[in-house]
Amino acid sequence: MRVLVLGGTTEASALAKLLAGDARFDATLSLAGRTLSPRPQPLATRIGGFGGVEGLVHWLHQKKVDAVIDATHPYAARISANAVAACAQTGVPLGSIVRPPWRRHEDDNWRMVPSAEAAAAALGKTPLRVFLSLGRQDLHAFAPAPQHRYVARTIEAPEQTALPPNIRILQARGPFDRDSEAELLSDEEIDVIVSKNSGGSATYAKIEAARELDLPVIMIVRPDKPVGHALGSPEEAVAWLHDRTPGSPRGV
Ligand code: NAP
């Protein structure tokens, strides 16, 4: 069975590992190309956009894809919308690994905002020390708030254009643990954290550390992301794919 996995997440990497060792599947992993040196993957990997819905439809036809798994990041809404549209057009089954968001704990001090731009505005006029943990693509949103001092953690260095002037980049890739997050926030004398509600365990430690230190979190809410058949985990995705392989009781 030919499978396209739309990736860029921990779940996609876990699924790639499962599919690579399984002779029932001939799978390709697709990455957006946001990370210049992605972790090596055990599956054939293609990198870069398809060219919208039309491009994805073309790719699905050309590669005779039998099923697509959307394992993209909760904030990558465009590729998911494209996958839903392209799979509807081609009749290719689409399963989507849906990562639950973090739930607000009673001791959490979260302020919800709709975008990175709104997060920058919500910081206010008084200069603060801000920890940005939201990926390098959104750092430019803080350029209009140059009164603050920023510490931004990204996997790779951001482009230098349109960054706020007082910004220090910490290059690191998760997972992170609570003690080192608490130490970082204390050492940097952080007043407020800006985060996406990514869900999962790899980057949750900063939320726990913020709770422990009584720090506010400005939380950028998730975009509405269209999904196919909702799947809870990479293992569930494999079972769902198996049900669609020719010869299985529910296969086509
Ligand atoms: P997006 O807004 O959903 O996608 C924008 C375009 O990138 C898509 O239309 C598609 O181009 C291409 N694309 C995205 N994912 C792809 C994939 N797996 N394979 C091939 N092409 C892909 O997503 P984004 O711009 O990558 O990210 C939006 C937000 O998601 C970021 O701000 C970041 O916070 C978060 N995020 C993304 C990733 C990731 O791996 N993409 C990882 C972590 C976090 P075409 O229309 O040309 O096909």
Side-chain angles (χ1 to χ4, degrees):
M1 179 187 214
R2 279 175 298 270
V3 179
L4 171 65
V5 179
L6 300 170
T9 57
T10 314
E11 291 86 346
S13 299
L15 179 59
K17 226 172 173 177
L18 293 173
L19 295 177
D22 194 325
R24 292 170 296 177
F25 306 112
D26 170 10
T28 300
L29 177 68
S30 176
L31 302 174
R34 308 287 174 238
T35 306
L36 298 175
S37 48
R39 285 201 172 114
Q41 296 288 342
L43 282 185
T45 303
R46 65 164 300 288
I47 296 180
F50 294 93
V53 176
E54 207 181 308
L56 184 51
V57 165
H58 179 73
W59 205 92
L60 296 177
H61 276 311
Q62 197 192 28
K63 304 287 179 186
K64 299 186 172 58
V65 172
D66 298 306
V68 176
I69 299 290
D70 178 1
T72 57
H73 191 266
Y75 285 74
R78 194 132 47 96
I79 186 68
S80 295
N82 291 354
V84 167
C87 288
Q89 266 187 50
T90 53
V92 174
L94 170 67
S96 305
I97 299 182
V98 178
R99 190 195 294 170
W102 298 318
R103 298 281 169 213
R104 189 201 302 240
H105 185 277
E106 59 181 3
D107 296 328
D108 283 332
N109 175 2
W110 290 4
R111 175 166 173 194
M112 313 302 284
V113 294
S115 63
E117 288 72 15
L123 291 171
K125 291 200 163 58
T126 310
L128 296 172
R129 290 186 66 91
V130 184
F131 181 52
L132 298 177
S133 170
L134 69 170
R136 64 186 175 137
Q137 274 174 268
D138 290 306
L139 298 181
H140 63 91
F142 296 85
Q147 68 275 30
H148 307 297
R149 297 186 74 82
Y150 299 94
V151 177
R153 183 167 61 203
T154 59
I155 294 177
E156 285 174 344
E159 286 176 22
Q160 290 303 306
T161 50
L163 291 178
N166 296 314
I167 189 165
R168 197 157 66 76
I169 306 293
L170 299 179
Q171 269 182 255
R173 201 195 289 257
F176 304 102
D177 68 74
R178 193 175 65 170
D179 288 349
S180 55
E181 293 292 69
E183 200 178 310
L184 172 71
L185 296 171
S186 302
D187 288 354
E188 297 288 344
E189 297 174 36
I190 295 298
D191 299 308
V192 58
I193 296 167
V194 180
S195 176
K196 288 178 173 165
N197 191 337
S198 297
S201 58
T203 59
Y204 186 61
K206 63 177 179 254
I207 304 296
E208 294 178 299
R211 185 184 307 143
E212 190 180 307
L213 299 171
D214 211 10
L215 288 179
V217 177
I218 296 178
M219 190 70 87
I220 302 169
V221 297
R222 287 186 172 197
D224 277 334
K225 192 169 148 93
V227 294
H229 180 87
L231 299 163
S233 65
E235 290 75 14
E236 240 182 75
V238 174
W240 182 81
L241 287 169
H242 172 72
D243 281 349
R244 272 142 199 86
T245 50
S248 87
R250 293 180 48 199
V252 284

